[in-house]
Amino acid sequence: MASAWITLIIFLLCYALFVFLPTKRSWVSCIGASLVILLSKTELKEAFFSHINWNVMGLFVGTLVLAELFMMSRMPAVMAEWLVDKTGTVRGAMITVCVFAGFISMFVENVAVVLLVSPVALSLADKFKISPLKLLLLVAMSSNIQGTATMIGDPPSMILAGYMKMGFNDFFFYKDHFSIFFAVEIGALSSLAIMFFVLRKLKHKIELLQVEKIKSLVPSFILIVFVIGLSVSSVFDPDFKWFAGVFTMIMAIIAFIWYRAFAKWGSVRNLLRTLDWDTTFFLIGIFIIVGALSNSGWLDKIAKGVLAITGTNIIFAYVFFVFIAMVISGFVDNVPFLLVMLPVVSKVAATMAVPAELFVFGLLCGTCMGGNLTPIGASANVVTMGMLRKRGYVVSFKEYMLIGVPITLASTICSAAFIWCIWK
């Protein structure tokens, strides 16, 4: 019993530090995992081979390499400029930039998308002498929403795939039902209506932006092969145990060898430095901490506590999970929350005799879209606020939430309603 309490205290302490020390989250996570191994009954072998989902880790790290080279090829920036050229007004161009940012976020980490698309957005603002504030915020919010749409778009989606043993195609159709992708797109469309309203006054005519040039088509080709490979992964690995991670790492190694041998875009050391090692070690530590928390029996107790609140009312339980996920994710990192809550909502679903997908998919949408609620709810938001600050635009909590709250509510409610209609 003492070991269980030690594990819980370590988890709560780490969670608090994630809030107050967001830039040190990888250190907090790894130190917390080390304390769990040293002070609780968790053995080192169990921690590394049972608690850490290495298939998800391989998928995440490999995707980082492929996405980074894809961005370095400048293909996304060229595509963004081409799309902007096809619109007639500033508002149309800005909406196009937001939609494009969302599309790229299905395959590339959200912060990277913001860094990639923001120069296009800033050049639009500079050209027409308008504030880039709303546009950059909307780009970040679009990225946060659409990152959930596919298995490789965001760490929470990868974690869900590992927990539910879902392949790439399962995010589109799962057990002969419309799956997460369509729920996210419903939410994205609802947020798009709000974006049109926010940018309603920007009706200036626009001319072609020609700045970027494609450096190489090879990264794009490798990324296409990567997506095709994942789409057939269920044939080789129906239980999502090894193929996605192994295949992704193989594709990353091929891309890395190509970069080393043929590309002249900088040193290998600089490429490795640009990868998101902070999130990588953060995930490893969190897997160990949450795995130990699960073994200690606390997740069963949380599930019983939720049932005591919701009773057997399925609608109330569903709304409760989505709402709590949305609000909490607006202020703290969504990865540890999702890892803890996935088994909890599954247990509640089993007790209520409803499909686990109903609560699990609703939880994912609430968790990921809730990141748009506040300027600290997602890493992409924090990066965007920093970029605006460098250009002299200081965004208050109130200014942000005037846009963030309606977009969060619209996208979350619509996607959750779609999931309810499909899986109830």
Side-chain angles (χ1 to χ4, degrees):
M1 189 63 181
S3 177
W5 278 104
I6 290 173
T7 302
L8 178 63
I9 291 171
I10 292 173
F11 172 78
L12 294 176
L13 181 60
C14 288
Y15 211 94
L17 291 175
F18 292 150
V19 178
F20 296 107
L21 299 173
T23 59
K24 304 293 184 182
R25 63 176 189 169
S26 59
W27 286 97
V28 171
S29 177
C30 290
I31 291 172
S34 301
L35 291 175
V36 164
I37 295 171
L38 292 172
L39 302 178
S40 73
K41 294 181 179 180
T42 303
E43 296 181 359
L44 185 62
K45 182 179 179 180
E46 178 186 25
F48 277 89
F49 294 102
S50 296
H51 295 341
I52 300 174
N53 191 326
W54 289 109
N55 195 32
V56 170
M57 292 307 306
L59 178 64
F60 177 73
V61 175
T63 302
L64 287 179
V65 177
L66 297 178
E68 184 63 28
L69 291 180
F70 180 56
M71 289 187 297
M72 291 173 69
S73 73
R74 308 312 295 169
M75 172 63 84
V78 171
M79 293 170 63
E81 290 181 353
W82 181 83
L83 289 171
V84 166
D85 179 46
K86 299 303 176 182
T87 61
T89 64
V90 175
R91 181 176 67 173
M94 289 185 169
I95 292 294
T96 301
V97 169
C98 292
V99 171
F100 181 72
F103 174 75
I104 295 295
S105 291
M106 296 181 188
F107 309 97
V108 179
E109 202 272 334
N110 297 344
V111 171
V113 172
V114 168
L115 294 174
L116 177 73
V117 176
S118 290
V120 178
L122 290 170
S123 65
L124 275 175
D126 290 342
K127 182 174 183 178
F128 293 97
K129 296 179 174 58
I130 57 178
S131 169
L133 189 151
K134 292 180 180 179
L135 177 56
L136 287 189
L137 292 181
L138 293 177
V139 166
M141 293 176 191
S142 297
S143 300
N144 292 331
I145 292 172
Q146 294 281 25
T148 320
T150 70
M151 185 178 78
I152 60 176
D154 227 5
S157 295
M158 299 179 191
I159 290 169
L160 177 79
Y163 181 79
M164 296 293 288
K165 304 186 186 307
M166 296 172 65
F168 186 84
N169 295 338
D170 291 329
F171 272 67
F172 298 88
F173 295 96
Y174 189 59
K175 296 182 178 179
D176 298 324
H177 289 72
F178 290 114
S179 192
I180 296 168
F181 173 83
F182 294 98
V184 171
E185 296 314 302
I186 292 293
L189 286 174
S190 66
S191 68
L192 202 60
I194 295 175
M195 292 180 188
F196 268 102
F197 178 78
V198 171
L199 302 173
R200 63 190 180 279
K201 296 181 180 179
L202 302 177
K203 297 181 180 180
H204 316 70
K205 294 295 182 180
I206 193 169
E207 298 176 2
L208 176 63
L209 297 171
Q210 286 186 333
V211 178
E212 298 287 350
K213 292 183 179 180
I214 299 174
K215 293 182 178 180
S216 174
L217 293 174
V218 173
S220 300
F221 175 74
I222 293 176
L223 192 62
I224 291 171
V225 174
F226 166 60
V227 172
I228 293 173
L230 287 183
S231 68
V232 299
S233 62
S234 59
V235 176
F236 306 98
D237 181 25
D239 293 328
F240 194 78
K241 291 182 177 180
W242 63 274
F243 181 84
V246 172
F247 177 72
T248 306
M249 289 304 296
I250 290 174
M251 295 303 298
I253 292 170
I254 292 173
F256 188 83
I257 292 173
W258 170 82
Y259 176 81
R260 180 69 178 82
F262 300 103
K264 306 297 181 182
W265 304 341
S267 67
V268 172
R269 181 179 297 179
N270 288 336
L271 172 63
L272 293 175
R273 284 177 178 173
T274 58
L275 302 182
D276 190 359
W277 296 112
D278 179 70
T279 301
T280 301
F281 287 102
F282 169 69
L283 285 175
I284 290 174
I286 283 297
F287 271 128
I288 294 174
I289 295 171
V290 175
L293 190 69
S294 177
N295 287 353
S296 68
W298 283 110
L299 300 189
D300 291 329
K301 294 177 181 179
I302 295 174
K304 292 178 181 178
V306 171
L307 284 169
I309 296 172
T310 63
T312 57
N313 190 319
I314 299 173
I315 295 178
F316 179 64
Y318 181 69
V319 173
F320 176 81
F321 286 134
V322 174
F323 179 77
I324 290 297
M326 180 187 73
V327 172
I328 291 179
S329 296
F331 296 91
V332 297
D333 200 290
N334 55 19
V335 169
F337 174 79
L338 186 69
L339 276 170
V340 168
M341 291 302 295
L342 281 174
V344 170
V345 300
S346 297
K347 293 177 189 296
V348 173
T351 303
M352 292 185 173
V354 298
E357 292 82 4
L358 175 65
F359 290 164
V360 168
F361 291 172
L363 181 76
L364 178 71
C365 286
T367 299
C368 293
M369 296 183 186
N372 282 333
L373 192 62
T374 71
I376 61 172
S379 299
N381 299 349
V382 176
V383 170
T384 300
M385 300 287 279
M387 295 174 65
L388 287 169
R389 193 177 300 112
K390 288 180 180 179
R391 295 177 69 92
Y393 297 93
V394 179
V395 186
S396 67
F397 238 74
K398 181 181 178 180
E399 284 180 298
Y400 177 92
M401 294 183 74
L402 285 174
I403 301 175
V405 170
I407 283 184
T408 301
L409 290 176
S411 59
T412 305
I413 291 172
C414 291
S415 60
F418 179 84
I419 292 170
W420 173 263
C421 292
I422 298 296
W423 291 97
K424 64 180 179 179

